[in-house]
């Protein structure tokens, strides 16, 4: 029995866990999905609303949670409202973004993909520069027809990595809320 284990061990180490499936970066639609993920933030540089609404699910299935308790969308109508009342205003300018450590995985049937990455999303709001730096971003895409669409996206900082200026604003907001109660 020991001989069988010794012989089998090199074989098991040499066989990929999902034999017959390409590495995620070799998937034929990897670059397409990666572009959709990058455009989920990058559309704002040129305020390309058409692109924004191409890449997010156009229905109530859409779920986005962004940093902060008021950041996000529950359905496409919420996303459209935020686009109209925040991103398309002259008070808002997206200045740069960067995705790092992007990992994309595909469902075996080819209809779903999920990702994780680190993200910097920077801009100007009412004359003040901001940068959500080193945010953890995850999401799920669904292939609808020939189009990949984001159906879920989440962004957050680990509690021990919340930037000091954000942390101070959170503490101040909590203190104000407690005094109003």
């Amino acid at each position: 029995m020991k001989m069988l284990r010794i012989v089998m061990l090199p074989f098991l180490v040499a066989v990929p866990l999902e034999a017959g499936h390409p590495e995620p970066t070799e998937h034929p639609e990897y670059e397409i999905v990666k572009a959709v993920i990058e455009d989920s933030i990058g559309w704002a540089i040129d305020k390309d609303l058409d692109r924004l609404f191409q890449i997010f699910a156009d229905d109530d299935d859409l779920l986005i949670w962004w940093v902060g308790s008021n950041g996000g969308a529950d359905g496409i109508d919420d996303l459209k409202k935020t686009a109209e009342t925040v991103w398309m205003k002259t008070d808002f300018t997206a200045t740069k973004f960067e995705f790092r450590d992007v990992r994309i995985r595909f469902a075996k049937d080819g209809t779903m993909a999920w990702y994780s990455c680190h993200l910097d999303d920077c801009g100007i709001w009412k004359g003040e520069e901001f940068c959500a730096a080193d945010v953890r971003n995850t999401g799920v895409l669904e292939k609808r027809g020939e189009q990949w669409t984001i159906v879920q996206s989440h962004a957050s900082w680990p509690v021990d990595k919340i930037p000091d200026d954000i942390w101070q604003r959170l503490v101040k907001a909590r203190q104000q809320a407690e005094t109003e109660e």
Side-chain angles (χ1 to χ4, degrees):
M1 192 58 132
K2 285 184 182 181
M3 181 62 162
L4 181 59
R5 284 185 197 149
I6 293 170
V7 170
M8 290 298 293
L9 183 60
F11 176 74
L12 291 173
V13 170
V15 174
L17 291 177
E18 291 192 51
H21 293 284
E23 284 297 309
T25 56
E26 296 173 5
H27 190 281
E29 298 195 62
Y30 177 87
E31 292 299 328
I32 294 168
V33 168
K34 186 176 178 193
V36 169
I37 294 164
E38 291 173 347
D39 286 351
S40 72
I41 301 295
W43 75 272
I45 296 291
D46 297 320
K47 295 193 178 195
D48 185 352
L49 271 182
D50 290 337
R51 184 60 179 146
L52 173 68
F53 296 130
Q54 282 176 349
I55 57 180
F56 283 97
D58 189 16
D59 54 38
D60 289 338
D61 290 340
L62 177 63
L63 178 62
I64 300 172
W65 281 5
W66 189 246
V67 296
S69 60
N70 62 350
D74 188 3
I76 191 65
D77 291 338
D78 280 356
L79 185 66
K80 287 178 179 179
K81 182 179 177 184
T82 301
E84 292 170 17
T85 60
V86 178
W87 301 322
M88 296 308 290
K89 296 291 186 190
T90 56
D91 288 337
F92 173 79
T93 304
T95 56
K96 66 180 180 175
F97 68 97
E98 180 183 4
F99 287 86
R100 291 179 307 285
D101 308 319
V102 177
R103 292 179 293 182
I104 302 170
R105 300 293 186 261
F106 292 87
K108 290 178 184 172
D109 69 359
T111 63
M112 300 290 287
W114 52 96
Y115 70 93
S116 66
C117 62
H118 289 96
L119 165 66
D120 295 343
D121 182 11
C122 307
I124 300 169
W125 175 249
K126 294 186 178 183
E128 297 283 325
E129 289 190 24
F130 69 86
C131 192
D134 206 26
V135 170
R136 296 184 301 183
N137 181 222
T138 61
V140 177
L141 295 90
E142 182 178 39
K143 190 167 187 183
R144 297 180 174 184
E146 295 301 310
Q147 178 71 38
W148 284 98
T149 59
I150 296 174
V151 295
Q152 186 273 333
S153 180
H154 175 261
S156 63
W157 284 290
V159 151
D160 61 333
K161 302 244 181 194
I162 296 174
D164 289 339
D165 62 320
I166 303 291
W167 188 259
Q168 290 167 2
R169 280 192 285 161
L170 293 171
V171 169
K172 185 176 179 180
R174 175 173 262 174
Q175 290 168 343
Q176 286 176 343
E178 288 173 356
T179 60
E180 291 173 4
E181 289 177 355

